[in-house]
Amino acid sequence: MKLFSVIGNPIMHSKSPRMHNNAIKNFGFDALYTRYNLEDEDKLRDILFNLRISGANITLPFKEKAFKIADVKDESIFDIKAANTLIIKKSKIYAYNTDILGFLKAIENFENLNKVLILGAGGTARAIAYALKYKNIKEIHIANRNLKRFSSFKDFITMLYEDIDDFNYDMIINTTSAGLFDENLACDKKILEKIFNYSKYAFEVIYNKETPFIKLCKKHNLIYKNGLEMLLWQGIFAFELFFEIKNQQNNIKKFMLEGLNLE
Ligand code: NDP
């Protein structure tokens, strides 16, 4: 039997086991997908080999570490230097980032995107910024509440929220955790309202609640999505890598949605 796991800290809330195990069951694979709460990131490599894990999804806060410990890195992740999917084959770790593909799939119906603002400057912001760059979006701006993380956004224009003076964006994306455990917005509501008056599209990475950001999107009649499709599609792409299957995306999607109990 093959063993797969999602690895992070905290990890109890992760929906990945439900998604993957239902797909595994329905495809009839001899495999099990579990979760692992990792305390010490320096143990990541040992855990993968000691538990004989065939593949793993890596989540907060170990995506950069996952990139570092990999022996073979997919070309698409050289820029973002973060991996969310690891495959272990013949004593080697192969690293991928299916968050990039998951995000692009989630926004594939959003048209005429030339100028995009990303709120937040963490790992997800970086994956999304490069996803948009690969999509040839011309202007990608990153705003955050402090400067300290901007050094990993050298390919983009960065600014503090209070320095935003051009509010004309086609899409605004919230990658911050503001609103996840509280009722906060990432920045002053007035700034967001000015941007929302121009924007056509919005994207919120949080998927399990109606955040203040989503409420504001509704108020301003924006076309918006939450992070559910991104979550789902990063899982579908990871599942394809785990089991080396192609042309089964519709079935994987159906089984993963069932696993999430959302269909
Ligand atoms: P990081 O910790 O790497 O970055 C978080 C960012 O949010 C930082 O820029 C941080 O600012 C900012 N931030 C946090 N809290 C606040 C706040 N209250 N107000 C303003 N800014 C804030 O996290 P990740 O990028 O890895 O993850 C961010 C979110 O994305 C999480 O909620 C995660 O669950 C979600 N996610 C969803 C996915 C999906 O598939 N839908 C996939 C991956 C992540 P500072 O620099 O000051 O610390």
Side-chain angles (χ1 to χ4, degrees), residues 146-180:
N146 60 58
L147 302 163
K148 65 181 186 221
R149 300 201 199 219
F150 286 161
S151 55
S152 34
F153 288 86
K154 295 226 164 66
D155 292 338
F156 306 96
I157 292 171
T158 53
M159 65 197 91
L160 294 172
Y161 294 126
E162 57 266 33
D163 294 334
I164 299 175
D165 56 4
D166 172 4
F167 302 94
N168 189 357
Y169 290 95
D170 301 317
M171 171 163 75
I172 176 165
I173 303 168
N174 179 41
T175 75
T176 76
S177 320
L180 183 58

Side-chain angles (χ1 to χ4, degrees), residues 60 120-124 144-146 149 175-176 180 186 205 207 227 231:
L60 270 171
T124 309
N144 199 29
R145 60 187 176 182
N146 60 58
R149 300 201 199 219
T175 75
T176 76
L180 183 58
V205 290
Y207 53 82
L231 172 80

Side-chain angles (χ1 to χ4, degrees), residues 178-179 182-185 204 209-217:
D182 51 38
E183 285 303 306
N184 294 333
L185 289 160
E204 162 68 276
K209 69 174 274 204
E210 185 169 282
T211 60
F213 183 85
I214 291 286
K215 285 178 190 151
L216 211 55
C217 292

